[in-house]
Amino acid sequence: MKKKENNIASKGNGVAIVAMFFLFAMISFVTNLAAPLGTIWKNSYDWSGMVGNFMNFLAYLIMGIPAGTLLVKIGYKKTALWAMAVGAIGIFFQYLSGKTGAETPVFEVNEAPVMLNFIIYLLGAFICGFSVCMLNTVVNPMLNMLGGGGNRGNQMIQLGSSFNSLAGTLTPLFVGMLIGAVTKDTSISDVSLLLWIAMAVFIVAFVIISFVSIPEPHKHNGDHKKVKYTHSAWSFRHTVLGVVGIFFYVGIEVGIPGVLIFYLSDSSVSGLTTNATAVAGAVAAIYWLLMLVGRLSSSVISSRVSSRAQLIVASAIAIILIVTAIFMPSTIRVSMPAYSVEEGFSLALVPISALLLVLSGLCTSVMWGAIFNLAVEGLGKYTAQASGIFMMMVVGGGVMPLIQNAIANSVGYMASYWLVIGMLAYLLYYAFSGSKNVNKDIPVDEEELEQIPDSI
């Protein structure tokens, strides 16, 4: 059977690999729309900055397992196409929120009415989350298979992640250019062009993927086997602790640039007097650019440097950078690249804390792969189950930034990064101790119960 799968991976996989890289970029494109749009909604509801982001990631918790089931039933290509269609619908709902419901109260928060248009926007963000979850379910196993599995497969995923980071670099910059300066009068209707472009991207992606030949390995596997499972992925301590690590990691990755955008966009705190939102988007883009650099570097050294060592170094350095950022006064400023429609590319003076937070992107870039590799080590037949659980735990990218945003509103933007430090401290513990497999007595080799015909 393995021989057949390798044959699949070797035939015409170049176009399929490019398609998967494109889908990896789409994941980041959709995810990174949330924070810039949140700067607009904060004008109406000061607590709402990360709520759209939360809804986007909440969908992972609900869709993680069903997405895997869908993959088995209809295949990689059809799942990707469904994801494109669902994503376009989600963006349309966000566009619709700028056109209707602004005068219709639904409920109150802190005695302030929440209008229907905000609910429509959240529904759109939630639907987009389904799309991104489905895309993630497709690209990770597909790139591993196209790479031939093993180290080659892991390297292919790292390269795909690099395209994810590239899109993460360009999206905040592009959105900041289109939004420009956000004032109290700015609304979602003012960025209709951005949302139309996003819908167009989904439609173009749908057309492209529909013409791409993508291998469907499950159609070539012959008879299916029912395997005996005496335990589960939850039986392994290092896997359970790794699940928590993934939950925290995604919260770290999203929270650092997300709150940074709000911090720099708030002129009263950041000291930016002109084009604050555009500058914030450009600075956040550098964070994702450094994640791109880090992932490319990791793909080169991973054959010689262990995941454990990478996670230890990355977590420790990130803690140092962010602690320093918290204590640095905002009056100490450095020049960083920025872009605005009015001035084009320029250098903007920003608090040095922003630079330190951006540099942490080099550290967060290697964490996903390191945690995943450590958490599934020695799982054997339970690896697939663990992968589904990990996908659900991406919801941490919605939960933890939402908590961080609440802390920021209460005690200040920079003080909210103590939450990030706490999560990084957990990852440091996991790398040192929690990642050790103490359940090696559990049998992980496939034990076949019976043959199941293809017709079932």
Side-chain angles (χ1 to χ4, degrees):
M1 185 184 301
K2 193 168 184 177
K3 185 176 181 181
K4 290 181 179 180
E5 288 181 1
N6 288 337
N7 288 338
I8 294 168
S10 64
K11 292 180 180 179
N13 59 354
V15 175
I17 289 173
V18 172
M20 291 304 109
F21 287 170
F22 180 72
L23 293 183
F24 236 136
M26 286 292 297
I27 292 169
S28 185
F29 172 73
V30 177
T31 302
N32 284 284
L33 283 176
L37 292 179
T39 61
I40 296 176
W41 286 108
K42 277 177 68 70
N43 288 330
S44 301
Y45 317 104
D46 58 6
W47 46 266
S48 68
M50 280 291 184
V51 177
N53 180 76
F54 169 76
M55 295 301 293
N56 192 276
F57 280 94
L58 178 63
Y60 277 90
L61 183 64
I62 299 172
M63 192 62 187
I65 300 301
T69 303
L70 190 66
L71 193 68
V72 173
K73 288 183 176 295
I74 67 175
Y76 288 86
K77 181 173 179 176
K78 288 184 179 179
T79 302
L81 291 175
W82 272 105
M84 295 294 105
V86 170
I89 293 172
I91 296 295
F92 178 74
F93 269 86
Q94 293 183 61
Y95 165 77
L96 194 63
S97 70
K99 302 299 180 182
T100 184
E103 305 299 328
T104 307
V106 179
F107 55 85
E108 292 186 354
V109 174
N110 297 330
E111 299 183 355
V114 176
M115 300 301 177
L116 178 62
N117 62 338
F118 184 61
I119 304 302
I120 295 174
Y121 161 74
L122 293 182
L123 178 59
F126 187 60
I127 294 172
C128 282
F130 282 115
S131 169
V132 176
C133 181
M134 293 164 70
L135 289 176
N136 259 312
T137 306
V138 169
V139 298
N140 285 285
M142 176 55 69
L143 279 177
N144 185 65
M145 186 273 293
L146 290 172
N151 292 335
R152 243 326 248 168
N154 288 334
Q155 183 183 39
M156 198 65 69
I157 292 176
Q158 286 283 6
L159 290 173
S161 298
S162 299
F163 280 85
N164 182 274
S165 297
L166 179 61
T169 302
L170 297 177
T171 300
L173 179 62
F174 179 63
V175 173
M177 289 166 51
L178 290 177
I179 292 179
V182 174
T183 68
K184 291 189 177 298
D185 297 322
T186 305
S187 67
I188 289 294
S189 61
D190 295 321
V191 293
S192 295
L193 175 60
L194 168 65
L195 297 174
W196 277 114
I197 291 173
M199 280 187 277
V201 169
F202 272 112
I203 293 170
V204 171
F206 184 95
V207 174
I208 292 174
I209 297 301
S210 65
F211 285 101
V212 172
S213 177
I214 297 177
E216 302 289 352
H218 67 284
K219 294 181 179 179
H220 301 268
N221 287 342
D223 291 342
H224 301 284
K225 294 179 180 179
K226 185 174 182 180
V227 178
K228 181 180 180 180
Y229 293 91
T230 57
H231 295 75
S232 73
W234 294 108
S235 303
F236 297 82
R237 191 200 71 155
H238 72 293
T239 302
V240 174
L241 295 178
V243 166
V244 178
I246 286 291
F247 181 86
F248 282 159
Y249 161 69
V250 187
I252 293 167
E253 180 193 283
V254 176
I256 290 175
V259 173
L260 176 60
I261 287 177
F262 297 146
Y263 169 59
L264 294 178
S265 298
D266 190 339
S267 300
S268 63
V269 178
S270 67
L272 296 174
T273 56
T274 57
N275 299 315
T277 303
V279 171
V283 172
I286 298 173
Y287 170 88
W288 293 104
L289 177 62
L290 292 180
M291 284 197 69
L292 168 62
V293 173
R295 283 171 171 168
L296 287 174
S297 301
S298 178
S299 68
V300 174
I301 68 173
S302 290
S303 61
R304 298 183 299 275
V305 181
S306 69
S307 296
R308 183 170 179 268
Q310 290 187 50
L311 186 57
I312 289 174
V313 172
S315 300
I317 294 177
I319 289 173
I320 294 171
L321 287 171
I322 296 177
V323 168
T324 306
I326 290 173
F327 286 107
M328 278 291 180
S330 60
T331 53
I332 301 178
R333 309 177 80 79
V334 294
S335 296
M336 295 189 69
Y339 182 89
S340 67
V341 176
E342 295 83 0
E343 300 179 4
F345 286 99
S346 62
L347 291 176
L349 282 176
V350 300
I352 193 172
S353 297
L355 174 61
L356 295 169
L357 292 173
V358 163
L359 288 174
S360 68
L362 285 170
C363 303
T364 57
S365 63
V366 304
M367 291 179 178
W368 170 275
I371 298 168
F372 186 89
N373 287 338
L374 291 170
V376 301
E377 183 178 356
L379 291 192
K381 63 186 178 183
Y382 300 105
T383 301
Q385 182 186 27
S387 298
I389 296 170
F390 284 130
M391 192 57 61
M392 293 175 63
M393 288 301 100
V394 174
V395 70
V399 175
M400 301 313 296
L402 187 66
I403 295 174
Q404 186 182 353
N405 187 62
I407 296 173
N409 288 335
S410 177
V411 298
Y413 295 106
M414 296 311 301
S416 74
Y417 282 96
W418 284 112
L419 176 65
V420 174
I421 292 172
M423 293 187 286
L424 286 169
Y426 176 86
L427 295 186
L428 191 58
Y429 151 75
Y430 182 71
F432 271 115
S433 176
S435 59
K436 296 178 181 177
N437 184 359
V438 298
N439 303 107
K440 294 182 179 179
D441 57 319
I442 298 176
V444 297
D445 294 331
E446 290 192 0
E447 181 180 349
E448 182 184 343
L449 286 180
E450 59 182 297
Q451 293 284 344
I452 304 177
D454 280 339
S455 58
I456 293 181

